[in-house]
Amino acid sequence: MITRTLLRLLLCCTVWTWLMSSSTTVFSQQPAPSDAQGQAQAKGSIEGIVRSAGTQEPVSGAKVEVVGKKFGAISNVAGKFSIKNIPAGVYSLKISALSFEPYIQSDVFVGTGKAYTVTIELRQNVVQLQAAEVEASYFRKNSETITSTQMLNSEDVRRAPGVQEDVVRAVALLPGVGVTSAGRNDLAVRGGAPFENLFLVDNIEVPNINHFGSQGSTGGPLSIINIDFVRDVSFSTGGFGAKYGDRVSSVTNLTLREGSEERFSGKANLSATGFGLFAEGPISDKGSYLIGVRRSYLDLIFKLAGFGFIPQYWDLTAKVNYRLDNKNTLSFITIGALGTVSFTNDTEDKRANNSRITAPAQNQYFSGITWKTLFGNGFMNVTLGRTYTNYTTSQSQFSRVPTTIGSNDSIDVSKPLVRANTMEGETSLRADVVLQATNALELSFGNIAKFASKLDYDLFVIGSGRLDQNGKQREITVDTNFTAFRNATYCQASYALTDEFKVTAGVRADYYGFLTKTNFVVSPRLSLSYALTPVQTVNVSIGRYFQSPQYIWLVGDPSNRANLQPIRVDQAVLGYEYILASDLKLQIEGYYKVYGNYPARVYRPQAVLAPAAYEDVTNDIPFGLEPLQSVGTGVSYGVELFLQKKLSEIPLYGLMSLSWNRSLFTGLDGAERVGAFNQPLILSLAAGYRFSNEWELSSKLRVASGLPTTPYITTQDRATATGFPIGTPDFARYNEGDRLKTFYAIDVRLDKRWYLTGLQLVTYIDVQNVTARANEASIQWKPQKATTVVNTALGLLPSIGVTIEF
């Protein structure tokens, strides 16, 4: 451990020396000389399009200004604009147009390589006569979700310390999201489990957007979404509109950007986890393309670090946009990933550790083609999509050790502990219509139909890994396939009754053809927004949300399909928002969630199915492969404080979120216990400062209460009393053990940019957990020592990144 830490410190020092040597001084770096000084100056360009958010029609005559500079442009009849010969640097754009609310786009990075491409969507003013009175803001409103929603752009994600350019890790800094594990990006939102979250990518609902994702859930170690392709991210933790459903905790909506229509450009990237090549350019004068491929070097790092498990992945992302005419556009995306994990078992410790974890191989893709048509006062998107994931998971065969101490049970080492070879493929057809009936009234409605044509499950869990409520072994073998159909229809209306008061009401109906019990549900939603002043708003939302059981749960026991119903959540949110300045926002919210029909565990009557999908399969039954009944209940409530500063003429940016939360769930035994993701206090603080166009320093602090734990059975007397063997969790005391110690981590990142002729070089060093704190990740039974041990996350972890844009 000491040697590893010293090596990491040596790496940090080496990279730091390299960065320092590239300039005479770091934070007193002078800007590039101006033309007035008679010297050549690095210059670049900005290109983009301005659209109406309500109709998607191009906005002609929009004024686009570079804030604080004498550069600008006017959008043409197609909404396009171009600003050329701008000195390289970081800017903000102010966009204004008659009858629209002005908006300021921050984080516009102008380099000497490829042009910066931006898409701006302006919202119409409710009262046109007051357009001149509206002050431009860096913050955008989301018409579909009034409460509990934050927006991030790609730069917010890219430069966030410690998130490894992972969009899911970036949204985890926002209010209401708990800390699960330092090595994973599972989102535990407002006390809910990770399987309760919805992810959309360009209008396609994706079951899991991660490499090596957990089956039946949404988390994993690293997202497959390439941040270079992301335009912006909308993250809602409650009160989301009727358009979104079949999930009960959150919605993460990712919009991918469009490629450049002006010229070919490319990028090569070496990041914390891998390297990639990307290209973009025009398709005649009708559209554009983006394409990129990445390969991880985690296998090289893990081998050098001496780890016993070796992950490796590839991924491919491509997007094409093509205009059929001025009113009709086609876009196509495809994202695919290949991932494997192998083991080295050259030491006893490696063999023992590997015997407790699964070896997942995961191949997946999702693709879609979208037709967008405009009709004056509105637009329609029709998306045909396909998602597919092939999981091949098995327990390591090397040196498996019994979890039972003093037991006479024999262990058949020829059998794996668990095997899961599954394929889940689903085709969806989605249509969404938005009508701007008047300046004050917006109508939206749509339908999404999904047909899972390929649900194949070849599963096995050994009896010692699947004990019933009496401690009896219940080995399971499943070899089955089936199909499933589901459909959702929604409608929603947003109406501004006055300049200050806005009402949004909607209803959603979901049909689940693969359930035999309660297969049709209706979800009403209502949101109210009242502006106390032009910069202070009170928001209220109430609604009902449903979520169907995961497909793999249906095969966990012959009774599950008959017993399981959609999970139900009723949620109310009350919030206050204050725009302290054009670049500074304060938000305070309180929420209350009531769960019903939650899957309760027959074999663990003290618990509900959260978390579902265990990485250490020797601790409990994996993937929900057990009898379940939809009789669990729960409640979650809390208060959240959020403060965000956007990068502006003041070169300081950051955010602070503070959450107080409590979640309680009740299983089949009728006793109320704290939820598996109950963390009373969560604090996230991130801030950065741009010292010049070349240098940027940022840091992140995250503090959270430790997660609940369940004690292990450690004595023969306790084993006799419960019927469970020594070394297994004592579910009679479910979540009643000592909490893990408080999570605490500081990350630091330093960025440096070089502006060269026709080329831009971006480098960074990112150091996670600079205090080398050994944060507790879990408590595990150690059979070799017949006692429990505390697993800790990695300590100090430096990484570097280099990007070349041309």
Side-chain angles (χ1 to χ4, degrees):
M1 180 62 71
I2 294 176
T3 302
R4 189 181 302 174
T5 302
L6 288 175
L7 288 173
R8 289 169 174 163
L9 287 172
L10 179 61
L11 176 60
C12 285
C13 294
T14 302
V15 177
W16 180 266
T17 303
W18 166 67
L19 287 170
M20 291 292 287
S21 65
S22 67
S23 177
T24 56
T25 56
V26 177
F27 301 126
S28 62
Q29 176 80 18
Q30 297 299 314
S34 64
D35 291 334
Q37 294 174 302
Q39 301 183 39
Q41 185 180 29
K43 294 184 178 182
S45 60
I46 304 171
E47 60 188 47
I49 185 171
V50 183
R51 297 177 181 144
S52 165
T55 67
Q56 293 296 291
E57 291 281 356
V59 177
S60 63
K63 187 177 182 181
V64 183
E65 304 171 84
V66 179
V67 176
K69 303 292 180 181
K70 295 181 179 180
F71 294 95
I74 303 294
S75 63
N76 61 21
V77 293
K80 293 184 177 182
F81 67 90
S82 179
I83 307 174
K84 299 183 181 299
N85 296 318
I86 309 171
V90 185
Y91 301 101
S92 295
L93 294 180
K94 179 181 178 181
I95 306 95
S96 55
L98 185 64
S99 302
F100 291 89
E101 298 176 0
Y103 169 66
I104 300 177
Q105 172 74 42
S106 64
D107 300 305
V108 177
F109 283 82
V110 177
T112 52
K114 70 185 188 72
Y116 185 89
T117 304
V118 61
T119 299
I120 304 295
E121 295 188 356
L122 298 179
R123 302 207 65 82
Q124 286 187 308
N125 279 313
V126 175
V127 180
Q128 295 187 22
L129 295 177
Q130 295 183 356
E133 302 174 13
V134 179
E135 182 182 354
S137 173
Y138 286 80
F139 301 99
R140 287 181 291 172
K141 297 283 188 180
N142 190 325
S143 62
E144 297 170 342
T145 305
I146 292 177
T147 59
S148 308
T149 300
Q150 310 300 335
M151 305 284 289
L152 299 176
N153 59 38
S154 60
E155 190 60 24
D156 292 326
V157 177
R158 188 199 66 80
R159 67 186 176 207
V163 306
Q164 301 173 356
E165 300 184 355
D166 184 339
V167 65
V168 185
R169 291 177 187 266
V171 300
L173 301 178
L174 298 175
V177 183
V179 176
T180 52
S181 173
R184 294 177 58 85
N185 63 14
D186 303 85
L187 298 181
V189 178
R190 290 180 171 176
F195 62 72
E196 299 174 18
N197 305 310
L198 175 65
F199 291 89
L200 294 97
V201 181
D202 271 12
N203 223 30
I204 302 173
E205 296 183 1
V206 183
N208 194 311
I209 64 171
N210 290 289
H211 293 286
F212 311 112
S214 297
Q215 185 160 14
S217 193
T218 62
L222 187 69
S223 169
I224 67 174
I225 304 300
N226 188 337
I227 189 58
D228 290 304
F229 287 71
V230 175
R231 188 180 89 192
D232 54 47
V233 184
S234 170
F235 180 63
S236 177
T237 58
F240 40 90
K243 178 180 179 179
Y244 306 112
D246 207 20
R247 290 296 186 272
V248 295
S249 275
S250 76
V251 175
T252 304
N253 194 352
L254 295 94
T255 302
L256 304 187
R257 68 180 181 90
E258 299 174 4
S260 172
E261 295 192 14
E262 298 297 322
R263 70 178 181 91
F264 169 83
S265 60
K267 178 184 290 189
N269 173 261
L270 178 69
S271 70
T273 55
F275 62 89
L277 296 173
F278 319 105
E280 62 181 287
I283 300 178
S284 66
D285 60 348
K286 293 289 188 179
S288 64
Y289 67 88
L290 282 167
I291 187 167
V293 62
R294 297 186 300 180
R295 198 268 196 201
S296 75
Y297 54 69
L298 289 176
D299 52 329
L300 305 178
I301 294 176
F302 278 45
K303 287 179 181 178
L304 291 174
F307 293 147
F309 60 101
I310 313 297
Q312 179 182 325
Y313 69 79
W314 289 81
D315 62 44
L316 168 74
T317 304
K319 180 172 181 176
V320 174
N321 289 278
Y322 190 81
R323 286 186 302 279
L324 302 174
D325 54 42
N326 291 335
K327 297 292 185 181
N328 296 276
T329 304
L330 290 178
S331 64
F332 170 78
I333 71 163
T334 186
I335 298 179
L338 305 174
T340 60
V341 171
S342 59
F343 291 97
T344 58
N345 295 277
D346 53 355
T347 68
E348 183 178 347
D349 283 344
K350 288 181 182 179
R351 287 192 293 271
N353 290 333
N354 290 342
S355 70
R356 302 182 66 87
I357 59 177
T358 56
Q362 180 179 329
N363 300 328
Q364 64 183 118
Y365 73 85
F366 59 90
S367 299
I369 185 167
T370 298
W371 167 48
K372 176 188 284 186
T373 182
L374 312 181
F375 35 82
N377 66 334
F379 65 96
M380 178 175 67
N381 284 326
V382 179
T383 301
L384 177 64
R386 175 73 175 174
T387 64
Y388 173 83
T389 306
N390 175 207
Y391 294 94
T392 304
T393 303
S394 64
Q395 176 70 22
S396 171
Q397 296 292 315
F398 296 95
S399 186
R400 283 200 302 111
V401 292
T403 59
T404 305
I405 304 300
S407 169
N408 293 322
D409 293 342
S410 61
I411 295 179
D412 182 0
V413 295
S414 67
K415 290 184 177 181
L417 180 63
V418 62
R419 183 188 70 245
N421 299 321
T422 69
M423 289 179 283
E424 295 182 347
E426 190 168 55
T427 301
S428 62
L429 180 62
R430 179 176 196 132
D432 300 290
V433 178
V434 177
L435 293 174
Q436 196 72 46
T438 67
N439 284 342
L441 177 62
E442 180 180 283
L443 303 174
S444 59
F445 54 91
N447 189 86
I448 177 170
K450 293 183 177 182
F451 179 64
S453 58
K454 193 173 189 63
L455 297 172
D456 291 349
Y457 298 95
D458 176 14
L459 304 164
F460 170 79
V461 180
I462 201 168
S464 60
R466 190 174 183 264
L467 304 178
D468 68 12
Q469 64 271 35
N470 299 313
K472 186 176 180 180
Q473 295 189 10
R474 299 288 185 178
E475 185 172 290
I476 182 175
T477 301
V478 175
D479 186 3
T480 188
N481 63 81
F482 62 99
T483 60
F485 175 76
R486 48 184 161 174
N487 188 83
T489 304
Y490 74 92
C491 61
Q492 182 170 289
S494 296
Y495 185 63
L497 297 171
T498 66
D499 295 352
E500 298 83 15
F501 190 37
K502 181 179 180 180
V503 178
T504 300
V507 65
R508 178 186 175 99
D510 285 271
Y511 170 74
Y512 305 111
F514 52 92
L515 298 180
T516 59
K517 190 175 184 180
T518 315
N519 57 11
F520 180 77
V521 292
V522 177
S523 310
R525 318 274 172 87
L526 177 66
S527 297
L528 308 173
S529 180
Y530 184 77
L532 302 173
T533 70
V535 294
Q536 298 182 73
T537 308
V538 174
N539 302 307
V540 179
S541 69
I542 55 175
R544 172 163 285 187
Y545 306 85
F546 286 96
Q547 176 177 339
S548 61
Q550 300 289 346
Y551 289 135
I552 194 170
W553 301 350
L554 301 178
V555 301
D557 189 83
S559 65
N560 283 357
R561 185 173 293 197
N563 289 335
L564 286 174
Q565 304 176 52
I567 300 170
R568 184 188 71 247
V569 167
D570 295 323
Q571 181 170 195
V573 181
L574 173 63
Y576 167 77
E577 183 180 286
Y578 186 9
I579 305 298
L580 299 165
S582 61
D583 60 350
L584 184 61
K585 179 178 73 171
L586 171 69
Q587 182 177 296
I588 303 172
E589 287 192 338
Y591 68 90
Y592 195 88
K593 296 168 64 175
V594 178
Y595 284 86
N597 298 342
Y598 213 85
R601 307 177 64 186
V602 175
Y603 288 172
R604 307 288 184 267
Q606 305 85 357
V608 295
L609 194 62
Y614 295 86
E615 298 308 307
D616 180 359
V617 297
T618 59
N619 269 344
D620 205 357
I621 304 170
F623 312 132
L625 298 177
E626 56 186 301
L628 302 170
Q629 295 183 9
S630 292
V631 297
T633 60
V635 62
S636 179
Y637 51 88
V639 179
E640 300 164 353
L641 172 67
F642 182 62
L643 183 68
Q644 184 177 20
K645 166 70 171 65
K646 286 283 192 177
L647 181 64
S648 61
E649 291 182 277
I650 302 173
L652 174 69
Y653 60 87
L655 61 84
M656 187 274 287
S657 68
L658 177 63
S659 305
W660 176 84
N661 316 273
R662 184 165 175 79
S663 60
L664 302 164
F665 285 88
T666 302
L668 282 168
D669 70 347
E672 189 176 62
R673 296 176 174 84
V674 296
F677 298 101
N678 178 63
Q679 290 180 295
L681 288 175
I682 305 168
L683 170 67
S684 296
L685 179 63
Y689 191 84
R690 294 197 63 83
F691 294 91
S692 68
N693 284 332
E694 290 81 23
W695 290 97
E696 180 176 348
L697 179 68
S698 57
S699 183
K700 180 188 72 180
L701 165 68
R702 197 142 202 232
V703 182
S705 304
L707 289 168
T709 68
T710 299
Y712 280 80
I713 297 173
T714 59
T715 66
Q716 189 58 53
D717 288 344
R718 188 62 184 169
T720 302
T722 61
F724 282 75
I726 293 173
T728 57
D730 188 351
F731 273 90
R733 296 181 290 164
Y734 178 64
N735 281 350
E736 294 178 3
D738 294 334
R739 285 182 177 270
L740 299 178
K741 290 182 179 179
T742 299
F743 178 92
Y744 172 87
I746 297 177
D747 305 327
V748 177
R749 176 171 170 139
L750 179 67
D751 289 70
K752 172 69 170 74
R753 292 174 179 265
W754 281 268
Y755 303 103
L756 310 173
T757 303
L759 189 71
Q760 181 176 212
L761 180 65
V762 183
T763 61
Y764 71 83
I765 177 172
D766 189 312
V767 184
Q768 299 180 49
N769 195 13
V770 294
T771 64
R773 178 180 172 86
N775 284 301
E776 296 183 351
S778 64
I779 297 177
Q780 189 179 61
W781 181 258
K782 194 77 169 179
Q784 298 91 332
K785 298 181 179 180
T787 188
T788 57
V789 295
V790 176
N791 291 328
T792 58
L794 285 175
L796 183 73
L797 182 62
S799 61
I800 60 173
V802 180
T803 298
I804 302 174
E805 299 179 356
F806 53 90

